[in-house]
Amino acid sequence: MLPQSRPVWVLALSTLARSTGNGVVVSIVVLYFTRSVEIDAAHVGLGLTVAGVVGMLVSVPAGHAADVVGARSAALGSVILHGVAICGYVLVGGFGGLLVAAGLVAVAEAASNASRGALVALAVPQRDRVRTRAYLRSVTNVGFSLGALLGGLALNRDTAGGYTIALVASGALFVVAGLAFLALDRTPPVPRPEGASPWQVLRDGPFVAVGAINAVLMMNAGILNVALPLWIAENTDAPISVFAPLLLVNTVMVVFLQVPVSRGAEDVRGGARALARSGIWLAACCAVIALAAGRTPWVAVAFLVAGVVLHTVGELLYSAGSWALSYELAPEHAQGQYQGLFGLTTQLGTAITPAVTALLIVRQGWIGWLVMGALLAAAGLAAPAVAGWAERSRPRSAETAATATS
């Protein structure tokens, strides 16, 4: 349960500070804009959506910048900028200010995600990358849950002053998280091989295909956060209050099981197998949750609990597999831009999930659950073939050749 090296300690403490601040922001930001700044909900949603699109567009350039200036410097600067941008929320006075502030937050977050991913690749040995990301995800869940609880204090007060203090404190936590990277050794840029394109990832068709699979499997998050509460409220006799304990089951499982479930997913083949298994578990989850409709309350709750457990196992396998492929298929000199593109596909999957779940599940009921399950299973089962194609397309580096002949 504790980090086993100094770099992981630093990354973990930084992650804890950042995720706690993020938990506060996510829990209060919409109500802050609607109730304190008095922007109508439709405009808040539009502003945050536009910011999300901006974040996706800058993911690859931000990752490329991390490759050029060094992952540690890029991560330090982008996380601090993220914190300052969050503090800027308190200056918003209308829709125009919301667009500017949310756009800056989205740009900083995209840069932070890509550079921190590259930093893990360079700060820990190759064999420990997936395990480190698994550990950091467990820490993220702890921090986010803590931040959500703290955000609840601001929501209870429901005053402009309370929201302002919460946002400024969150921004300060991000600044602390960025400064923590000063405790890591410098990570100078890895020299780009002669003849390699500066925008190599955009020409890497096999990796883009892996990213497409990642975008589909990332929709698993929408099962828990979007589809499940609507399904409970509109299609089952289970009390809607059961949703909070179901989220707790998911959070506790992620905190304690992400590291052990990630074992065996340290390379391309292991990561692809994890994605294939993830698709199967997620498909089973969809089928079981669909069975909750038309049952007595207690039976419905039992099916919902079983479905969330199945979902969480699939989610854990998905995370492990996606980390393995994003790292192992990326050239060392371009980890930033490859993490940026993979992050873009993750954001894309998150962005399309509400529309897909509304179209399939809310409108089609249990048939929509089965279609969603089939889609996730197909994406997972396609992962080994697509990952194998991507692995075979990697250029054979001098380092790899030397290792093979030694």
Side-chain angles (χ1 to χ4, degrees), residues 67-361:
D67 294 327
V68 172
V69 305
R72 192 192 76 156
S73 297
L76 189 154
S78 60
V79 175
I80 291 177
L81 176 62
H82 195 175
V84 173
I86 287 171
C87 292
Y89 277 154
V90 304
L91 303 177
V92 171
F95 180 63
L98 167 61
L99 283 175
V100 173
L104 288 174
V105 168
V107 169
E109 184 175 13
S112 166
N113 290 339
S115 58
R116 286 184 295 105
L119 182 59
V120 170
L122 299 177
V124 302
Q126 183 175 359
R127 66 181 182 278
D128 294 334
R129 289 171 179 172
V130 171
R131 177 180 173 83
T132 299
R133 285 296 296 267
Y135 184 82
L136 295 180
R137 183 163 189 255
S138 296
V139 173
T140 297
N141 274 262
V142 172
F144 190 88
S145 299
L146 177 60
L149 291 174
L150 295 174
L153 299 178
L155 293 176
N156 286 334
R157 294 188 62 181
D158 195 24
T159 64
Y163 289 130
T164 298
I165 292 172
L167 288 171
V168 172
S170 301
L173 283 172
F174 274 80
V175 172
V176 170
L179 292 174
F181 294 139
L182 290 172
L184 293 174
D185 295 334
R186 289 183 177 274
T187 54
V190 177
R192 188 169 70 243
E194 185 177 352
S197 169
W199 298 99
Q200 181 174 345
V201 70
L202 299 179
R203 301 181 180 183
D204 193 341
F207 188 83
V208 172
V210 171
I213 288 177
N214 176 66
V216 175
L217 288 174
M218 182 59 203
M219 290 194 297
N220 80 82
I223 293 176
L224 198 64
N225 300 327
V226 181
L228 187 60
L230 294 174
W231 184 251
I232 293 172
E234 299 180 11
N235 297 89
T236 78
D237 291 324
I240 189 61
S241 58
V242 77
F243 180 60
L246 291 175
L247 288 181
L248 181 61
V249 169
N250 172 265
T251 299
V252 171
M253 288 183 65
V254 170
V255 169
F256 289 100
L257 296 180
Q258 183 65 78
V259 172
V261 170
S262 299
R263 292 181 187 133
E266 291 82 6
D267 55 18
V268 172
R269 293 185 182 182
R273 284 195 302 269
L275 291 186
R277 292 162 58 198
S278 170
I280 295 172
W281 280 87
L282 292 171
C285 147
C286 291
V288 169
I289 292 177
L291 290 174
R295 311 288 177 175
T296 62
W298 284 109
V299 174
V301 169
F303 276 118
L304 293 171
V305 171
V308 168
V309 170
L310 292 170
H311 171 275
T312 306
V313 176
E315 177 189 351
L316 297 171
L317 289 166
Y318 157 73
S319 296
S322 64
W323 295 326
L325 297 188
S326 69
Y327 281 131
E328 297 306 306
L329 294 174
E332 292 303 301
H333 71 277
Q335 282 286 352
Q337 60 176 281
Y338 272 72
Q339 298 309 314
L341 180 64
F342 215 75
L344 186 156
T345 63
T346 299
Q347 292 174 292
L348 178 62
T350 302
I352 65 176
T353 296
V356 172
T357 54
L359 178 65
L360 288 179
I361 295 170

Side-chain angles (χ1 to χ4, degrees), residues 52-74:
V53 173
V54 171
M56 284 191 282
L57 293 177
V58 304
S59 291
V60 175
H64 178 61
D67 294 327
V68 172
V69 305
R72 192 192 76 156
S73 297

Side-chain angles (χ1 to χ4, degrees), residues 365-384:
W366 66 269
I367 294 177
W369 278 109
L370 297 183
V371 173
M372 173 68 85
L375 180 64
L376 293 169
L381 293 174

